[in-house]
């Protein structure tokens, strides 16, 4: 069957993965660590969509564009690099990709820090999203939750319609969401025609639209100007468009999905893949040395050349606070 639209995979590669320090550094953020069966999260993201799309647009920062480029060139995939001079959140990042595309092109927007399994179910969800996007909808992928997760945002759904978007809940609220059975994890993945997204952005956030367009109009081979970029309000696409538009549809996705945003999620993933733990659930990442844990449970030792981290996995979210302290006191450990 002949395709009516170009299908473009937009990969958002911003962020340094502060909650995965010391594995994740500014010079090699978590999305490029080859710790997933010898591949990085970025490469897995490219592979997953390679047979679905015609082209890739990578929106990232100056620090990681070379890392993305090396992987795409190795795979011989046609791509466009959009290099942000400074992070301005996801509304602007997605707007740049939409400006770079034809208005009728269908964009599949994905972050690159996700592990997705059951690819057959993923392909079904993406095909459904492309169909709905072709009809003028902005499609978001909701994941049918498997536990009362407090680290994710949620989508309250009524069939394919979105009732509301919810911020990360506390445990009591998350359990309530699961009991109601119409709440989905918000995956941060979207699908839409470039022109439809831009029209909605122009309607709800004219300043972001106007300033982003100005930046894009002055791009130099995909590189964006710092001074002009600083004028763009830094707002997420969820807040700018998704929570306001009447064109949103949600797909109840059944594929297995996890956001590898913390050591707890990395621990769970590695455990499922057969990574060794001792009888008390203690795990070592990054070193082969014999390591003994005495009097500890569910503890993770993360070893790197110039920094080690020891944490109980339920405290994984607190690594970000440590990262912020090091930014001030020992910034060389973040490079």
């Amino acid at each position: 069957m002949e395709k009516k639209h170009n299908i473009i995979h937009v990969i958002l590669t911003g962020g340094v993965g502060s909650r995965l320090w010391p594995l994740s550094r500014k010079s090699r953020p978590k999305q490029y660590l080859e710790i997933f069966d010898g591949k990085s999260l970025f490469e897995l993201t490219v592979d997953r969509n390679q047979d679905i799309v015609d082209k890739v647009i990578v929106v990232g920062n100056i620090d990681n564009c070379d890392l993305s480029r090396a992987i795409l060139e190795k795979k011989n995939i046609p791509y466009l690099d959009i290099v942000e001079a400074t992070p301005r959140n996801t509304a602007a990042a997605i707007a740049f990709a939409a400006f770079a595309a034809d208005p009728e092109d269908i964009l599949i927007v994905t972050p690159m820090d996700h592990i997705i399994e059951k690819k057959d179910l993923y392909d079904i969800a993406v095909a459904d999203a492309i169909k709905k996007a072709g009809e003028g909808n902005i499609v978001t992928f909701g994941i049918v939750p498997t536990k009362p997760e407090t680290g994710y945002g949620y989508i309250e759904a009524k069939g394919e319609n979105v009732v509301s978007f919810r911020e990360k809940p506390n445990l009591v609220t998350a359990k309530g969401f699961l009991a109601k059975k119409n709440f989905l994890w918000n995956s941060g993945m979207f699908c839409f025609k470039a022109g439809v997204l831009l029209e909605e952005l122009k309607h709800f956030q004219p300043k972001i639209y106007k300033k982003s367009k100005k930046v894009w109009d002055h791009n130099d081979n995909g590189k964006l100007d710092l001074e002009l970029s600083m004028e763009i309000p830094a707002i997420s696409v969820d807040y700018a468009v998704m929570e306001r538009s009447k064109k949103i549809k949600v797909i109840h996705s059944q594929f297995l999905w996890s956001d590898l945003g913390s050591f707890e999620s990395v621990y769970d993933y590695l455990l499922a893949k057969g990574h060794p733990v001792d009888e008390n659930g203690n795990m070592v990442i990054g070193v082969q040395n014999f390591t003994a844990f005495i009097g500890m449970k569910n503890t993770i030792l993360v070893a790197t050349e110039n920094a080690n981290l020891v944490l109980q996995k339920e405290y994984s979210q607190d690594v970000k606070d440590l990262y912020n302290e090091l930014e001030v006191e020992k910034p060389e450990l973040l490079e």
Side-chain angles (χ1 to χ4, degrees), residues 49-316:
N49 295 280
Q50 197 171 346
D51 52 353
I52 301 166
V53 303
D54 304 293
K55 180 182 169 184
V56 172
I57 293 178
V58 179
V59 187
N61 58 39
I62 200 81
D63 294 328
N64 61 28
C65 64
D66 288 342
L67 299 167
S68 304
R69 203 175 288 138
I71 292 166
L72 290 163
E73 285 176 359
K74 180 180 81 175
K75 293 179 170 293
N76 204 18
I77 293 172
Y79 70 93
L80 169 67
D81 236 347
I82 298 176
V83 183
E84 292 184 291
T86 179
R88 303 315 285 161
N89 216 315
T90 52
I94 291 170
F96 297 142
F99 284 126
D102 184 87
E104 285 296 303
D105 288 346
I106 290 179
L107 275 46
I108 301 168
V109 180
T110 69
M112 42 59 269
D113 50 2
H114 294 170
I115 285 286
I116 288 173
E117 297 183 38
K118 296 202 175 176
K119 187 170 181 319
D120 53 335
L121 297 177
Y122 175 80
D123 289 346
I124 289 167
V126 170
D128 190 14
I130 289 168
K131 179 176 173 289
K132 286 182 167 62
E135 294 163 355
N137 298 299
I138 295 174
V139 182
T140 181
F141 292 78
I143 311 294
V144 176
T146 54
K147 58 179 180 177
E149 175 62 62
T150 58
Y152 302 154
Y154 284 72
I155 297 167
E156 183 184 2
K158 188 174 182 183
E160 64 176 23
N161 295 315
V162 174
V163 178
S164 69
F165 286 86
R166 301 293 184 92
E167 295 297 317
K168 295 173 183 177
N170 60 31
L171 188 58
V172 174
T173 307
K175 284 178 175 173
F177 286 172
L178 246 68
K180 286 182 178 163
K181 296 193 175 351
N182 67 322
F183 281 82
L184 305 162
W185 289 337
N186 185 356
S187 71
M189 294 167 49
F190 309 105
C191 185
F192 45 74
K193 280 188 191 177
V196 171
L197 187 279
L198 289 174
E199 279 303 314
E200 293 295 271
L201 184 64
K202 191 177 185 177
H203 178 64
F204 293 110
Q205 290 284 345
K207 190 174 180 184
I208 295 179
Y209 175 89
K210 195 172 143 196
K211 298 287 186 186
S212 301
K213 185 167 191 323
K214 189 176 180 184
V215 169
W216 181 249
D217 288 344
H218 287 81
N219 88 84
D220 176 17
N221 207 16
K223 289 189 174 65
L224 307 181
D225 180 82
L226 176 60
E227 211 172 305
L228 292 175
S229 297
M230 292 300 286
E231 295 178 18
I232 304 171
I235 295 175
S236 74
V237 74
D238 294 79
Y239 178 75
V241 175
M242 303 300 160
E243 293 176 13
R244 303 171 181 211
S245 173
K246 299 284 182 277
K247 296 185 176 180
I248 310 295
K249 298 289 179 197
V250 62
I251 289 176
H252 296 241
S253 309
Q254 299 282 349
F255 54 83
L256 296 180
W257 174 91
S258 61
D259 169 5
L260 289 186
S262 70
F263 277 114
E264 184 166 18
S265 53
V266 171
Y267 176 103
D268 291 344
Y269 171 78
L270 291 175
L271 191 63
K273 290 290 180 185
H275 192 90
V277 292
D278 71 10
E279 68 274 17
N280 291 313
N282 300 307
M283 179 184 284
V284 177
I285 299 173
V287 69
Q288 298 299 318
N289 295 353
F290 171 76
T291 304
F293 296 85
I294 297 175
M296 287 181 267
K297 286 185 174 179
N298 298 328
T299 298
I300 307 169
L301 165 64
V302 185
T304 70
E305 201 173 297
N306 68 343
N308 297 332
L309 175 70
V310 181
L311 75 155
Q312 287 189 291
K313 72 172 180 135
E314 54 269 33
Y315 289 92
S316 292

